[in-house]
Amino acid sequence: MGKAVRRSERIDDGDLGEAVARARQGDEAAFAVVFRAVQPMLAGYLRGLVGDDADDIASETWHDIVRDLRAFRGDGMSFRGWAATIARHRALDHLRRTKVRPQTTELHEDTTRQVLVRDSESLALENLSTERAVALIASLPRDQAEAVLLRVVLGLNAPTAAKVLGKRPGAVRTAAHRGLKRLSERLSGAGEK
């Protein structure tokens, strides 16, 4: 059986926002805080979109983040949403170049370490191995899978996730809810808790 998904608190959005503000002014230590806080979640999201190419896409994403950081304005949640938008664009560019469907692969333990699960339906994912969780998410319709990845893995709220996907917040909430409900039903049907 694969490694268990471990969940822990992520950096507070207020603290992340302060670190981003200092990083914008050239504070390298603050940028290191931002990178350590966001990279594991970003890697998990990208792994869900492009599989084994996630590290390469994350590198391209951070290149763009560094290049445009001085122009960014917003708090911690906005920064995670902005980073997710850049990552999604890089991932879609990659998929267009390679002309393959999004794929999922095993999430590494460090990818999920920063994840915080807030809603009760997503607690169904707590007792799964990482491989099983990724396989189940990958089996969802694409809009539901991406909504679950943004809401659960990156911890974005519905309005921020909606900006990333170019959809309305209600549509993202609905897709995430349906995806989590579908996952919960599959787990109940499989006899897992």
Side-chain angles (χ1 to χ4, degrees):
M1 184 174 244
K3 296 178 184 174
V5 175
R6 292 191 313 184
R7 312 244 186 258
S8 63
E9 288 284 333
R10 66 173 176 263
I11 188 172
D12 175 82
D13 281 335
D15 292 340
L16 179 59
E18 290 175 19
V20 168
R22 290 192 322 270
R24 286 183 52 241
Q25 301 303 315
D27 183 333
E28 291 179 21
F31 183 80
V33 168
V34 171
F35 181 82
R36 282 193 305 269
V38 176
Q39 174 58 17
M41 294 180 279
L42 203 59
Y45 174 60
L46 286 168
R47 196 159 302 285
L49 294 178
V50 298
D52 290 335
D53 295 329
D55 291 337
D56 292 338
I57 305 308
S59 178
E60 292 176 22
T61 299
W62 282 103
H63 173 270
D64 291 354
I65 289 170
V66 169
R67 181 191 66 210
D68 298 335
L69 184 59
R70 288 191 186 266
F72 173 78
R73 300 289 182 268
D75 60 10
M77 175 71 70
S78 297
F79 180 80
R80 285 188 289 125
W82 182 64
T85 299
I86 294 169
R88 184 171 191 264
H89 289 192
R90 293 302 132 254
L92 293 175
D93 289 346
H94 171 76
L95 293 171
R96 278 190 287 273
R97 282 192 309 267
T98 59
K99 297 184 187 208
V100 296
R101 287 192 58 200
Q103 54 186 327
T104 58
T105 60
E106 178 181 348
L107 291 174
H108 296 284
E109 191 171 330
D110 61 332
T111 301
T112 59
R113 192 167 290 139
Q114 298 291 324
V115 176
L116 173 66
V117 177
R118 291 192 177 150
D119 33 77
S120 60
E121 288 180 11
S122 61
L123 291 176
L125 295 175
E126 290 251 319
N127 295 325
L128 292 174
S129 70
T130 301
E131 295 153 13
R132 178 85 170 120
V134 172
L136 282 172
I137 292 170
S139 71
L140 294 173
R142 184 173 177 176
D143 66 321
Q144 292 176 11
E146 198 163 4
V148 168
L149 287 167
L150 287 170
R151 297 290 312 266
V152 176
V153 176
L154 269 167
L156 299 181
N157 62 24
T160 305
K163 286 180 184 176
V164 172
L165 297 173
K167 295 183 176 189
R168 295 179 195 264
V172 172
R173 276 192 286 276
T174 300
H177 174 77
R178 287 180 179 161
L180 291 170
K181 184 176 179 182
R182 190 174 281 187
L183 290 174
S184 179
E185 289 168 354
R186 288 180 183 169
L187 289 174
S188 295
E192 292 185 41
K193 292 184 179 184

